[in-house]
Amino acid sequence: MALASKTTSLFLLLLAVWCFFITPSNSATDSFVFGGCSQLKYTSGSPYESNVNSILTSLVNSAMYTSYSNFTLPGASNQDTVYGLFQCRGNLNSGDCGRCVAKAVSQLGTLCLDSTGGALQLEGCFVKYDNTTFLGVEDKTVVVKKCGPSISSYSDALGRRDAVLGYLGASDGTYKPFRVSGSGDVQGVAQCVGDLSPSECQDCLSEAIGRLKTDCGAAKWGDMYLAKCYARYSEGGDHPHGQKGEQ
Ligand SMILES: *[C@@H]1O[C@H](CO)[C@@H](O)[C@H](O)[C@H]1NC(C)=O
Ligand SMILES: *[C@@H]1O[C@H](CO)[C@@H](O)[C@H](O)[C@H]1NC(C)=O
């Protein structure tokens, strides 16, 4: 737990630094959302380094065929074992998923040079690797929270926003890791990372959606990224990144 929050604060710190270097992208899929690295560095040329490279390569290759995958590469000792996963946004085709993960992995290589662990979220995909196991572990740490300006004319827009969030958070008991909804000009999108069980996914999304409501109040748009799921909504084209949940 202590490690998790330490890692997260480091993520946010790095995010602040990294944002200055991001060049705007035309593609909604490739836009940078957040990234961060563990403080620990591995030795260049170590077996751990080649494990990290193998796992990142496996992620890129796998993303051409599926929208979620996880890998574990055992090392000579426990601390050399590398775990990795990627999750593409549910509405990406395999070509776009593959390109997104390739881009995320290449940015991770720059951002997290020689780090034992790292995570990066682009609009279209999430990639993470580490030597501590995080696979199948629900983590509701807030990684990115952004709220737009307040809605000017309350009643209608806020009602539509609440309807969109209500729909995103609704559970009929089936496993729905990717959700989109819309009401009028308000759109919403939510997704879990594929390693969560159906009930963990629902729990994570409920937390993200609840936080959007409480923390963003009557904002025109909001982004709530937790470590293993996110929920976002926007009104019309008012989000700085444009339309959500669409290609
Ligand atoms: C991860 O690697 C670092 C650096 O080699 C090591 O100090 C740490 O104990 C490892 N963590 C685990 C869970 O093995
Ligand atoms: C990891 O991937 C394997 C298949 O490669 C799958 O059986 C397993 O359920 C996955 N684990 C998690 C936590 O997603």
Side-chain angles (χ1 to χ4, degrees):
M1 220 44 231
L3 183 67
S5 57
K6 206 169 143 191
T7 312
T8 305
S9 56
L10 185 72
F11 277 12
L12 293 178
L13 180 73
L14 280 160
L15 170 68
V17 177
W18 182 244
C19 280
F20 289 105
F21 299 103
I22 300 303
T23 45
S25 159
N26 291 329
S27 158
T29 305
D30 284 355
S31 305
F32 179 85
V33 180
F34 67 82
C37 322
S38 55
Q39 245 165 330
L40 292 167
K41 300 276 184 180
Y42 56 74
T43 319
S44 230
S46 63
Y48 187 79
E49 177 175 37
S50 62
N51 268 359
V52 168
N53 291 338
S54 310
I55 221 150
L56 294 178
T57 305
S58 304
L59 294 176
V60 171
N61 291 338
S62 176
M64 292 187 278
Y65 306 102
T66 173
S67 64
Y68 162 76
S69 199
N70 74 79
F71 291 92
T72 300
L73 262 185
S77 68
N78 267 351
Q79 70 174 35
D80 285 340
T81 299
V82 190
Y83 307 88
L85 63 70
F86 73 87
Q87 173 69 64
C88 282
R89 200 172 64 207
N91 59 353
L92 286 197
N93 64 41
S94 53
D96 288 335
C97 177
R99 275 186 288 278
C100 185
V101 170
K103 174 134 188 181
V105 162
S106 109
Q107 290 190 359
L108 261 181
T110 314
L111 179 67
C112 300
L113 187 68
D114 295 346
S115 287
T116 56
L120 195 109
Q121 173 85 54
L122 301 180
E123 289 270 333
C125 62
F126 174 70
V127 172
K128 177 171 171 135
Y129 74 94
D130 208 344
N131 71 337
T132 58
T133 183
F134 56 89
L135 296 174
V137 179
E138 189 184 359
D139 183 351
K140 295 188 279 185
T141 310
V142 176
V143 184
V144 171
K145 177 181 88 174
K146 285 188 199 159
C147 307
S150 283
I151 292 169
S152 39
S153 64
Y154 264 58
S155 53
D156 278 10
L158 202 55
R160 286 194 295 274
R161 194 280 307 264
D162 287 347
V164 164
L165 291 186
Y167 182 84
L168 283 183
S171 167
D172 58 7
T174 62
Y175 178 48
K176 281 187 296 184
F178 177 66
R179 305 170 183 192
V180 288
S181 84
S183 171
D185 57 355
V186 182
Q187 281 116 39
V189 59
Q191 183 158 27
C192 297
V193 179
D195 63 331
L196 297 188
S197 72
S199 60
E200 288 168 337
C201 175
Q202 182 61 36
D203 182 58
C204 192
L205 290 180
S206 300
E207 173 88 12
I209 291 161
R211 278 180 174 272
L212 268 182
K213 273 195 176 179
T214 54
D215 296 7
C216 287
K220 275 185 178 169
W221 56 264
D223 295 344
M224 189 64 65
Y225 283 86
L226 309 185
K228 281 288 175 78
C229 70
Y230 65 79
R232 328 171 66 177
Y233 73 90
S234 63
E235 190 201 343
D238 275 345
H239 192 284
H241 300 301
Q243 299 275 83
K244 290 287 136 303
E246 303 295 335
Q247 246 293 76

